Amino acid sequence: QVQLVESGGGLVQPGGSLRLSCAASGFRFSMYAMSWYRQAPGKERELVAAITANSEARNYGDSVKGRFTISRDNAKNTVSLQMNSLNAEDTAVYYCKARSVYGSAIYWGQGTQVTVSS
């Protein structure tokens, strides 16, 4: 059974930091590119950060460049998102996504809420 389970969300003050984690199971994690998306109320889901299967390449949404860092550990089947200098515009539900590098398989996690507020 494929599972992507996000954790680490919560309430944080502006300027603060959070680290999200996504634990994967049920598929060959090292053969999947991983990414984080977010969706704020009334807005479309947007790409936050992505990392290739072998961690050779990363890319970030313009609004998070220089503040967020994506990383993965293929030995532990996890992908993380370190978020620094958070502001109110970062408030959203954050989703973990896996995409097969060979086929069309795509999996999504259930999401974790991040709220930035004083």
Side-chain angles (χ1 to χ4, degrees):
Q1 180 183 0
V2 172
Q3 280 193 312
L4 290 172
V5 180
E6 301 98 334
S7 61
L11 174 64
V12 62
Q13 291 188 342
S17 298
L18 277 177
R19 185 176 181 86
L20 304 183
S21 293
C22 174
S25 60
F27 61 97
R28 195 171 178 183
F29 183 76
S30 61
M31 295 292 111
Y32 282 71
M34 299 299 297
S35 52
W36 288 94
Y37 282 73
R38 69 185 182 187
Q39 187 165 20
K43 295 187 177 181
E44 293 187 354
R45 192 172 295 190
E46 65 172 350
L47 175 68
V48 175
I51 187 168
T52 55
N54 56 10
S55 300
E56 282 191 352
R58 297 168 173 84
N59 67 285
Y60 298 91
D62 288 342
S63 61
V64 307
K65 285 180 181 176
R67 301 188 298 123
F68 290 13
T69 302
I70 189 171
S71 60
R72 66 188 293 162
D73 186 336
N74 284 354
K76 296 182 178 180
N77 289 0
T78 59
V79 60
S80 299
L81 184 68
Q82 177 66 42
M83 306 187 295
N84 299 328
S85 302
L86 287 161
N87 57 61
E89 288 69 40
D90 296 315
T91 295
V93 178
Y94 284 71
Y95 298 91
C96 177
K97 174 188 172 183
R99 178 180 58 81
S100 172
V101 300
Y102 293 117
S104 60
I106 292 176
Y107 308 120
W108 289 91
Q110 82 289 350
T112 186
Q113 176 70 46
V114 172
T115 302
V116 184
S117 176
S118 56

